[in-house]
Amino acid sequence: MTARRVADASGPWLSAYQKTRERTETLVKPLSEADQTAQSMPDASPVKWHLAHTSWFFETFVLKPNLPGYSAFDPAFEYLFNSYYNSIGEQFPRAQRGAITRPGAPEVLAYRHHVDKHMTQLLSQSSPELLNRLDSLLPLGLAHEEQHQELLITDLQHLFSINPLYPAVTVPVQAFAPVVALGWWHHPGGLVEIGAPAPGDASDVQVDDSPSFRFDDLPSFRFDDLPSFRFDDLPSFRFDNELPRHQVRLYPFALADRLVTNGEYAAFIDAGGYNDPLHWLSEGWAWRCREQISQPLYWLRRAEQWWQYSLAGLHALDPHAPVRHISLFEAMAYAQWCGCRLATEFEWEHAAARVEPSDSVYDPTILAPQSQSQSADQLYNCLWQWTQSQYQPYPGYRPEAGAVGEYNGKFMSNQFVLRGGSCITPPNHIRASYRNFFPAATRWQFSGIRMAKDD
Ligand code: AVJ
Ligand code: FE
């Protein structure tokens, strides 16, 4: 049987699986074993752990239940690379992941390839019954892989930021074009539809056949020569937390037509914004005092100037670039200082749904927001935008059946929703209904601020 016939027989999954898995490996190819092993804080995981855990996901949820006779690469990995699935079993403590020097990077790659070999075997079978069972699991596994493609970059940036040599691994950042005055989109309010469209709905995104992706021989330690990725090979997908689609009442509001810039945020700092408790939520003030926070993560003050660390190295802070690595507490304090507020996730979604996410190319040589190539309004794939909405279930929400039901639903307490995706989110991963979520003090994600106000 030719490769082409295998791909045809197994629908879109085999090729989407292989491309998605390859992109992860390409992304980490420039990293040394040491780069992949260290852990900088309990919230962040070693790159090597991400590589193993995404393989664990396919092994645990797809291969073990569906491939008869599948034998695990190493039975001890069930515990070692389980992130948080209590119905699968206990987990190795998250904060100690950086202490796992063995398996080394080559063994973790061998684990990935073991899983890939068996996934290929499974996906080459064409039984309609099997394909039916994989219909929701496979896209979940691929969306999971893509979430970890983003997370491993955020974690790597945090790790490198601890190093006073400030490693530069991407091309230098380019200056942002000066911003124009903030404009507002006004909305009269009313009943609106929120959530992902039901399957088969005409507004569902169409599948596109992409040109194949190049797997080049890469030099070590820098991302400069990585090929761009196209992420248009995955059929449309929604996480369970985007469902069901339902009605929400909005009141008249206005949403800013761009994100808050570094320059604008620096004015808040200069005005003593971090020292005035009137701008801050009680929990935010306690956090700011306890952690001695007086500026965004990755900002440095040297010789009376602001500098910023990014994967491009340490560079002068660009006043026109959107401010990033902001906690919800800081975003809310800034908004309060401006006499504004953050949008609710429903206001954001309704305003954003008029615009399609545009980029389908991911350039791993630039792992920072860019002046060009993003939609002018910076809605998608620039920075995650904090909303004032608690991460909660939509009316009628049902987690997926079985152990994968632990994926999203169980985190619906004490977290807030972020919308829009960032410059390091695989572009095709993002849609208007997408809900990311983190606790209010989180700063190491690529999070920014969009203002909203009552009209
Ligand atoms: C949606 C980004 C909060 O970081 O745990 C990864 C993504 N879910 N594996 C997280 C996720 C399962 C999730 N966030
Ligand atoms: Fe995960």
Side-chain angles (χ1 to χ4, degrees):
M1 202 189 266
T2 65
R4 167 132 194 98
R5 276 173 58 208
V6 169
D8 286 346
S10 51
W13 297 134
L14 183 59
S15 120
Y17 175 85
Q18 288 170 341
K19 286 181 188 171
T20 307
R21 296 280 287 173
E22 269 178 15
R23 286 192 283 258
T24 311
E25 283 188 25
T26 302
L27 200 50
V28 304
K29 243 186 172 185
L31 301 174
S32 71
E33 168 118 23
D35 292 337
Q36 293 187 45
T37 304
Q39 177 177 28
S40 55
M41 64 164 168
D43 280 342
S45 298
V47 166
K48 200 175 70 181
W49 183 89
H50 289 287
L51 297 178
H53 162 70
T54 47
S55 306
W56 174 95
F57 191 93
F58 285 110
E59 180 171 73
T60 304
F61 297 120
V62 181
L63 290 176
K64 286 182 179 175
N66 292 299
L67 188 64
Y70 174 73
S71 122
F73 181 80
D74 184 332
F77 287 5
E78 176 166 312
Y79 166 74
L80 193 53
F81 298 123
N82 181 357
S83 50
Y84 55 61
Y85 297 86
N86 295 318
S87 53
I88 299 296
E90 302 217 326
Q91 303 111 41
F92 179 78
R94 180 180 181 121
Q96 310 264 33
R97 287 172 184 166
I100 304 299
T101 56
R102 299 173 184 203
E107 288 80 38
V108 165
L109 267 194
Y111 177 40
R112 282 185 74 84
H113 297 156
H114 175 85
V115 168
D116 289 346
K117 187 177 118 196
H118 291 93
M119 284 296 297
T120 301
Q121 199 182 318
L122 183 73
L123 295 177
S124 304
Q125 299 171 13
S126 55
S127 114
E129 194 223 342
L130 174 73
L131 289 178
N132 198 31
R133 257 184 296 146
L134 296 186
D135 217 41
S136 64
L137 264 181
L138 233 291
L140 180 66
L142 297 181
H144 179 247
E145 183 91 18
E146 292 190 344
Q147 285 185 319
H148 280 276
Q149 286 164 357
E150 169 161 3
L151 291 166
L152 74 85
I153 295 296
T154 56
D155 294 357
L156 181 71
Q157 176 167 297
H158 190 268
L159 173 68
F160 281 167
S161 78
I162 309 285
N163 183 340
L165 301 182
Y166 298 115
V169 292
T170 64
V171 299
V173 289
Q174 290 200 334
F176 266 67
V179 288
V180 291
L182 199 96
W184 296 92
W185 293 318
H186 295 272
H187 193 274
L191 273 185
V192 300
E193 292 274 322
I194 292 298
D201 193 311
S203 57
D204 238 19
V205 184
Q206 295 301 303
V207 186
D208 190 7
D209 251 338
S210 72
S212 60
F213 148 89
R214 289 203 339 270
F215 201 102
D216 292 349
D217 204 24
L218 301 164
S220 283
F221 301 109
R222 289 184 63 89
F223 287 76
D224 303 32
D225 296 323
L226 291 184
S228 289
F229 301 163
R230 292 187 61 86
F231 279 84
D232 48 9
D233 47 25
L234 297 178
S236 66
F237 169 74
R238 285 92 182 82
F239 282 108
D240 59 5
N241 61 11
E242 295 163 59
L243 296 169
R245 195 161 164 86
H246 65 286
Q247 291 191 322
V248 167
R249 171 77 196 265
L250 303 182
Y251 293 84
F253 71 97
L255 191 67
D257 64 359
R258 63 164 173 79
L259 302 181
V260 173
T261 65
N262 285 327
E264 289 166 331
Y265 196 84
F268 165 69
I269 299 177
D270 291 344
Y274 275 88
N275 303 321
D276 185 346
L278 287 180
H279 305 316
W280 293 76
L281 290 173
S282 171
E283 264 192 70
W285 184 254
W287 166 79
R288 169 235 167 268
C289 295
R290 194 175 59 245
E291 312 276 330
Q292 302 185 335
I293 307 283
S294 56
Q295 61 201 55
L297 182 63
Y298 305 136
W299 282 31
L300 260 94
R301 191 84 183 159
R302 280 200 185 160
E304 312 268 296
Q305 295 285 321
W306 284 119
W307 296 75
Q308 179 172 40
Y309 177 69
S310 76
L311 287 168
L314 191 63
H315 49 82
L317 186 76
D318 182 344
H320 303 300
V323 66
R324 63 182 191 261
H325 303 296
I326 290 290
S327 67
L328 173 79
F329 293 135
E330 291 164 300
M332 282 198 164
Y334 176 84
Q336 151 82 30
W337 176 72
C338 293
C340 296
R341 60 173 174 81
L342 302 182
T344 67
E345 62 167 320
F346 308 118
E347 291 167 340
W348 192 99
E349 178 171 330
H350 184 68
R354 300 168 303 130
V355 187
E356 277 283 307
S358 54
D359 284 356
S360 60
V361 176
Y362 183 88
D363 185 347
T365 71
I366 307 167
L367 299 170
Q370 278 177 275
S371 196
Q372 277 88 35
S373 97
Q374 277 151 5
S375 53
D377 43 39
Q378 300 175 322
L379 273 168
Y380 298 108
N381 288 111
C382 183
L383 293 173
W384 289 105
Q385 296 141 62
W386 283 109
T387 72
Q388 64 171 44
S389 299
Q390 302 264 359
Y391 177 50
Q392 289 192 327
Y394 288 169
Y397 169 70
R398 290 275 170 277
E400 310 247 359
V404 284
E406 291 189 60
Y407 197 107
N408 282 315
K410 72 177 188 178
F411 298 109
M412 290 171 173
S413 70
N414 300 319
Q415 307 213 31
F416 285 83
V417 174
L418 300 101
R419 297 295 198 124
S422 80
C423 52
I424 58 159
T425 309
N428 195 51
H429 194 77
I430 286 308
R431 50 195 168 265
S433 61
Y434 195 104
R435 307 171 82 196
N436 198 359
F437 51 89
F438 278 97
T442 306
R443 304 208 294 170
W444 95 111
Q445 295 299 307
F446 281 63
S447 49
I449 317 174
R450 182 183 300 275
M451 297 285 94
K453 59 183 183 183
D454 300 326
D455 241 5

